[in-house]
Amino acid sequence: MVCISALMLCAQGNYQFNGLDMNMGNLSRLSNAKSRSISPENYTGEKGGGAKAKIADKDKRNVANAAQAARTLGDGWKVNPFIIIKPGETITIADIEGPGAIQQMWMTPTGNWRFTIIRIYWDDEKTPSVECPVGDFFCSAYNEYAQLSSLAVCVNPGSAFNCYWKMPFRRRARITMENINTAEEMRLYYQINYTLTEVPEDEAYFHAQFRRSNPTTGSLHTLLDGVKGKGQYVGTYIAWRVNDNCWWGEGEIKFYMDGDKNYPTICGTGAEDYFCGSYNFENPKTRQYQEFTTPYAGMHQVIRPDGLYRAVTAFGLYRWHILDPIRFDKDLRVTIQDLGWRHDGRYNNQKSDISSVSFWYQAEPHGKFPALPSKDDLEIPRW
């Protein structure tokens, strides 16, 4: 299925050969783009700058973090594969001079994934275009591994986060990680692969925004609001914790664009329909929720009550608009209803705990993001 989807992308690609758009259809074409990579073994991504960390300086300072393991091998081996982010600390993990594009990111953070915030800034902007708990950014809100295979995001054993969203920039790209956990340091292994190349005028900037309704007010969750300018909406991740003992996914997703007020231009027919499933995501043989993961949509995570501390069912769902981006010219607002069923056949106005990440591209400048919730209000309590 992945191979078929990749071929579909090749058939519909725009075949730019400047190093921004690489797919199976143009891998054989030569390009003047320059490949670079940032990791703890090459903090700047500079050419010939990898594996230069020293087991120990002459004055014994700045010792590489794997110096003990590599003590019999010497410099040039695996001597500095990770970084430590202390409680309350923010570290810049990438600072790249453009033009170019980030093509892939891999990382595996420790600790509570809700307590590490990833931020991405384009072209010296003061407010980030991406601001999100790192777990939610990689469709893993619950701090528990759930395998996910899609074109945009992959989560692989044991806790390997991978992102394949293309992220072009013209002057600069800066990525920071903040550890808001005041009691625990975080160890981070990471690699950011990018290209230095020309960026066409019609390339927009990547954005991702986190929101949480706990519980929803008026049985409505707003995924995105205040977006101004021209762009396209490309993806949704939702972590949905249900507080009622009934089917929960009747709510419609609505896209209000370009001046829409009371009525949206695009209106779905239900939550499971939007995430490309049907009939409660139920396996008719097992009479249970059925996890699934595909290139474009899935419900890759179901956390079930265990009869002790886990009292509610929680879901992780994603939908990528890769072949069907939702394009807007002036503004965009996105909402989803929090509706289930009552036993007498009426809809049930629920009060669920819904967290979401919206992914979109747009021309800068972007509108103001809402403030992230506090650490306590970000937390999903678990034993």
Side-chain angles (χ1 to χ4, degrees):
M1 193 168 187
V2 173
C3 294
I4 294 174
S5 300
L7 290 174
M8 290 173 63
L9 280 178
C10 294
Q12 301 185 31
N14 58 11
Y15 294 97
Q16 295 179 8
F17 301 123
N18 60 4
L20 277 183
D21 294 308
M22 296 300 294
N23 54 50
M24 294 294 287
N26 63 30
L27 280 176
S28 61
R29 300 297 297 266
L30 298 178
S31 168
N32 291 324
K34 305 300 182 185
S35 295
R36 298 291 185 263
S37 183
I38 288 174
S39 74
E41 294 281 18
N42 187 351
Y43 287 123
T44 65
E46 65 181 298
K47 184 180 181 303
K52 283 187 173 181
K54 301 296 182 182
I55 289 182
D57 292 341
K58 292 181 179 179
D59 56 4
K60 304 299 182 182
R61 294 183 300 176
N62 302 318
V63 177
N65 53 41
Q68 184 66 15
R71 64 188 185 276
T72 61
L73 298 177
D75 296 340
W77 292 84
K78 186 175 180 177
V79 300
N80 203 68
F82 60 87
I83 63 172
I84 297 293
I85 305 178
K86 298 177 181 178
E89 184 178 26
T90 298
I91 289 183
T92 297
I93 62 171
D95 196 344
I96 308 166
E97 291 187 8
I102 294 171
Q103 297 176 308
Q104 190 260 354
M105 292 194 295
W106 164 87
M107 61 180 61
T108 177
T110 63
N112 190 318
W113 300 331
R114 266 284 167 96
F115 295 162
T116 300
I117 310 301
I118 183 171
R119 295 182 177 92
I120 304 179
Y121 303 79
W122 307 123
D123 296 354
D124 298 309
E125 62 186 357
K126 302 302 181 184
T127 60
S129 290
V130 172
E131 185 176 47
C132 188
V134 70
D136 295 76
F137 184 81
F138 292 95
C139 305
S140 300
Y142 301 111
N143 212 56
E144 293 187 20
Y145 168 74
Q147 188 270 334
L148 190 163
S149 297
S150 78
L151 288 175
V153 175
C154 293
V155 181
N156 302 327
S159 59
F161 295 162
N162 295 272
C163 166
Y164 296 91
W165 294 113
K166 183 179 70 173
M167 303 181 192
F169 55 93
R170 289 174 173 83
R171 295 190 303 276
R172 187 184 182 194
R174 184 164 64 92
I175 304 175
T176 68
M177 299 283 281
E178 179 186 9
N179 180 8
I180 65 171
N181 190 342
T182 57
E184 183 181 355
E185 67 180 22
M186 193 266 282
R187 176 180 291 197
L188 179 67
Y189 298 83
Y190 66 94
Q191 188 147 8
I192 299 166
N193 297 315
Y194 62 99
T195 183
L196 298 176
T197 186
E198 296 180 1
V199 176
E201 291 185 4
D202 62 355
E203 290 280 345
Y205 290 88
F206 179 78
H207 293 73
Q209 184 182 117
F210 171 88
R211 290 184 180 231
R212 186 181 191 184
S213 300
N214 184 26
T216 55
T217 301
S219 296
L220 191 72
H221 174 70
T222 297
L223 290 93
L224 198 59
D225 198 2
V227 173
K228 304 294 183 183
K230 184 179 181 67
Q232 49 255 16
Y233 187 94
V234 296
T236 305
Y237 166 69
I238 286 184
W240 199 317
R241 300 175 74 229
V242 182
N243 294 317
D244 291 319
N245 292 321
C246 62
W247 166 241
W248 48 274
E250 287 300 324
E252 297 176 339
I253 192 166
K254 294 178 168 64
F255 292 85
Y256 300 82
M257 61 185 69
D258 300 335
D260 289 342
K261 300 300 182 184
N262 295 327
Y263 300 100
T265 295
I266 297 176
C267 182
T269 60
E272 83 266 51
D273 310 333
Y274 172 69
F275 291 103
C276 301
S278 68
Y279 295 110
N280 311 349
F281 301 116
E282 183 179 323
N283 184 322
K285 293 183 178 180
T286 64
R287 299 300 306 275
Q288 298 292 316
Y289 290 114
Q290 180 61 64
E291 296 91 333
F292 67 102
T293 175
T294 77
Y296 303 110
M299 183 177 72
H300 63 293
Q301 190 167 29
V302 180
I303 298 177
R304 297 168 171 83
D306 63 4
L308 187 59
Y309 294 113
R310 289 186 173 177
V312 301
T313 309
F315 304 87
L317 310 109
Y318 65 95
R319 167 72 158 90
W320 309 140
H321 296 270
I322 292 176
L323 296 182
D324 59 338
I326 296 173
R327 303 185 189 278
F328 55 93
D329 289 321
K330 298 178 180 178
D331 56 74
L332 181 67
R333 176 166 60 97
V334 187
T335 66
I336 192 166
Q337 298 165 332
D338 184 18
L339 288 180
W341 280 111
R342 295 182 181 273
H343 292 293
D344 61 1
R346 290 181 294 143
Y347 292 131
N348 178 36
N349 296 87
Q350 301 172 149
K351 293 184 177 180
S352 302
D353 174 7
I354 299 179
S355 299
S356 65
V357 182
S358 297
F359 303 86
W360 77 100
Y361 291 91
Q362 73 161 92
E364 291 286 5
H366 63 264
K368 184 179 180 181
F369 282 23
L372 279 180
S374 67
K375 173 178 173 289
D376 286 349
D377 288 332
L378 280 173
E379 183 179 3
I380 299 177
R382 59 189 296 269
W383 190 257

